[in-house]
Amino acid sequence: MENSTQMLVQDREKPKRNQPRSRPILASNRFSETKNTKNLDFSTWVSENLYKILTIFLLITTVAALFFLRNYGVAGGDTAALLCLQSTQSQSIHPKFPHGAKKIYDVDDRGDVIDNDIGKRFDVELIGEGARQEVILQYSHENPNKTVVNPYIHFGQRSVWPRGLPLENVGEIGHEEFYTEVFGGKQFIQQGISNGLPDVDSVFYFTRKPVLEAFDIRFDEHAPKVALPQGTMVPVNSFNTIFHSSAFWGLMLPVSVSSMSSDVLRGYWAQRLLWEIGGYVVVYPPTVHRYDRIEAYPFSEEKDLHVNVGRLIKFLVGWRSDKHRLFEKILELSYVMAEEGFWTEKDVQFTAAWLQDLLAVGYQQPRLMSLELDRPRASIGHGDRKEFIPQKLPSVHLGVEEIGTVNSEIANLIHWRKSFGNVVLIMFCSGPVERTALEWRLLYGRIFKTVIILSGQKNVDLAVEEGQLDHAYNVSIAGNSDWFVKQADMVKKVVATMPVHLQVNFKETVKDHKSLTICNSEVFYVPRRFVADFIDLVNLVGDLDIHHKVAIPMFFLALDLPQNFDLVFSSMVYKQNLPSNSTSFYSAEVPAVHPWNVLSEQDFIKLIRIMAAGDPLLMELV
């Protein structure tokens, strides 16, 4: 590749720590360019230029002292020196790049470039005749809580995750409902996918295959490249990445963290700073094939990731700076990251030294762009929504290749999440909550937005609230032979006090005043548009001794006509006179099932294995 440099990075089987380098000493001849340069020995040159040397030294010392007092304690010396050099450079010296590199390809030495052409998929040129002037698919910014994504899902591998993805996000396997678009030309950091052995962490590496079997994972080479909007991040590594000149400052690898954490921390740090210059990261289809040599690396080499990466992403997304130059922002962010414990003072000093190196070779720092991170995000219109449904390529799950059946069952799970993802599920546990509460949250939390569990006794540790299902309506049934008559009378009293539109609905359906509608079901769904009316109806019951099996159908018949009821629960498995824990309750095809009472560890494992028919990822728990 013309005008490019290849950088070889750390190897997986021999993890090494990056060795700190000494700070560069900028030669004084940077500031002594004149029209008549003479070839003098050092002592003669000093004697002839002593006045100039003393003047420049005094100027540098004064400016350095001012910046030292204004800025930070830890990074003060390096910051002052750097900013002083910036000021001098911007006023008097504008040399060209002596090395000529316009982009740098950061690549692992075990990776073979597919077709020996990185330009086949990467955007090697961003400007000029060779640039692809095209719009790029971009993750949606609609959800402000989505701060990190797994790009492997976009390229067909939803059960694989990259090194540096927070482990708490591994279970988010659904593809995007829609994308937006962004104009190309600012993708200053380009992250390529690797076939064979992708960049995965040790958790994945040790749990997804037999020890002596090499990984050979393939990604969709035809999937479109995808950009990350401001506010959303993605793991960036040093195995297959192009840095354009506007992001050369982002090549610095931290030296105070473990080697297998260094490039990922750098990637998140650089992504956040890209937003300051209007740049972004783009993830590309597979461009290299990396070979798995079946020589694992220790989990300890990633400890900085698994402990801190989730907190780091949250910190970076919320970080703001009022500095007026990019290098000032870089130094400020590096210093604050040391304060927050993401790296140490050594990396603050190393950042300053690296920026000094860039200035020494004539690097011109990019200009800042106005940011709108704190402004309300523009709404995404229907015409702006671009759909792309990723392929479901064969992958690995606990050493077993996924087949079409498993993929279709995962699709079922995603389908139900779309249907019930905004539903609050309220459940009452009539038995011990020590086991049941956790298992219910695990199983139903995969589908419903929120799971609220009630029980006869409050349990703060398990987030179980107190509730009395048996006394919800002050029921008193035993010994009352005329119970139905009394219940019917109370229904009449409640209906008489209902708002007119609710009375009309109820009376249009219930024309026989001598009958009493009873419902034995325990699962109900109240659409959002009826929530206010539902609350009013509950309040009308008050202290009446009306049973919930009578009150609930009364509520629903008042809310709407039966022909308008949603039949989504018609396939619910609910059978009477069965053993308390029957495997026939559960099926991957139905949206809801009667809760299973987990009374022992054996019950829980049995339940997980049955439910894994619809969600194979549950097998990780057993």
Side-chain angles (χ1 to χ4, degrees), residues 375-446:
R375 294 185 181 181
R377 301 193 177 204
S379 59
I380 301 174
H382 181 74
D384 299 324
R385 298 179 177 224
K386 307 300 177 182
E387 184 175 283
F388 171 72
I389 301 178
Q391 290 193 44
K392 299 175 183 176
L393 299 179
S395 184
V396 290
H397 177 73
L398 296 177
V400 180
E401 288 192 1
E402 290 181 353
I403 59 175
T405 302
V406 174
N407 283 327
S408 65
E409 298 301 354
I410 292 179
N412 283 341
L413 177 65
I414 296 172
H415 168 74
W416 293 124
R417 282 191 64 89
K418 286 184 178 179
S419 300
F420 302 105
N422 63 345
V423 174
V424 176
L425 178 65
I426 303 175
M427 308 180 72
F428 186 90
C429 180
S430 57
V433 298
E434 285 71 19
R435 289 188 179 277
T436 303
L438 179 60
E439 282 72 13
W440 280 5
R441 290 188 190 282
L442 172 68
L443 295 175
Y444 295 98
R446 293 157 33 251

Side-chain angles (χ1 to χ4, degrees), residues 592-603:
V593 293
H594 191 279
W596 182 307
N597 289 323
V598 178
L599 302 178
S600 66
E601 195 71 21
Q602 290 78 10
D603 280 350

Side-chain angles (χ1 to χ4, degrees), residues 281-294:
V281 171
V282 170
V283 184
Y284 289 75
T287 53
V288 301
H289 188 287
R290 295 177 67 241
Y291 296 93
D292 183 7
R293 297 172 183 167
I294 320 179

Side-chain angles (χ1 to χ4, degrees), residues 570-585:
S570 62
S571 57
M572 175 181 173
V573 176
Y574 188 93
K575 301 179 181 179
Q576 294 181 343
N577 302 322
L578 285 175
S580 60
N581 286 344
S582 173
T583 58
S584 64
F585 276 146

Side-chain angles (χ1 to χ4, degrees), residues 172-369:
E172 298 171 1
I173 61 174
H175 66 79
E176 300 299 304
E177 291 189 20
F178 65 90
Y179 296 78
T180 57
E181 289 181 329
V182 65
F183 288 107
K186 297 286 188 178
Q187 59 269 41
F188 299 141
I189 297 180
Q190 302 174 10
Q191 175 65 69
I193 300 291
S194 302
N195 277 338
L197 176 63
D199 184 27
V200 295
D201 60 29
S202 59
V203 176
F204 183 93
Y205 193 85
F206 281 114
T207 61
R208 292 303 187 276
K209 68 177 181 65
V211 177
L212 299 179
E213 181 180 325
F215 270 129
D216 187 14
I217 300 175
R218 301 304 173 104
F219 294 85
D220 181 8
E221 63 180 14
H222 301 294
K225 58 193 175 187
V226 59
L228 280 301
Q230 291 183 357
T232 305
M233 293 187 165
V234 69
V236 172
N237 58 51
S238 60
F239 291 164
N240 182 26
T241 314
I242 284 184
F243 288 76
H244 281 264
S245 59
S246 294
F248 277 1
W249 44 265
L251 284 165
M252 180 203 77
L253 284 167
V255 295
S256 66
V257 297
S258 59
S259 60
M260 296 306 295
S261 304
S262 179
D263 59 335
V264 174
L265 262 64
R266 171 190 74 172
Y268 284 124
W269 169 82
Q271 279 180 86
R272 176 59 187 86
L273 291 164
L274 273 183
W275 302 345
E276 302 291 333
I277 59 174
Y280 48 83
V281 171
V282 170
V283 184
Y284 289 75
T287 53
V288 301
H289 188 287
R290 295 177 67 241
Y291 296 93
D292 183 7
R293 297 172 183 167
I294 320 179
E295 297 180 14
Y297 56 97
F299 176 83
S300 60
E301 284 294 313
E302 295 176 350
K303 61 183 180 181
D304 300 303
L305 287 183
H306 300 306
V307 171
N308 289 322
V309 70
R311 185 170 66 91
L312 173 63
I313 294 170
K314 182 178 180 181
F315 162 77
L316 290 173
V317 170
W319 176 76
R320 300 291 184 270
S321 171
D322 58 0
K323 299 298 182 183
H324 300 295
R325 300 186 62 136
L326 176 62
F327 280 15
E328 294 180 40
K329 289 179 179 286
I330 293 175
L331 283 170
E332 180 182 25
L333 178 57
S334 299
Y335 174 78
V336 178
M337 283 180 62
E339 279 192 324
E340 295 292 328
F342 297 116
W343 54 36
T344 70
E345 176 186 349
K346 185 183 295 185
D347 284 309
V348 181
Q349 298 170 348
F350 189 51
T351 302
W354 170 244
L355 298 181
Q356 285 181 13
D357 278 352
L358 290 176
L359 294 176
V361 298
Y363 182 81
Q364 299 295 315
Q365 56 181 302
R367 293 182 177 180
L368 298 178
M369 302 288 288

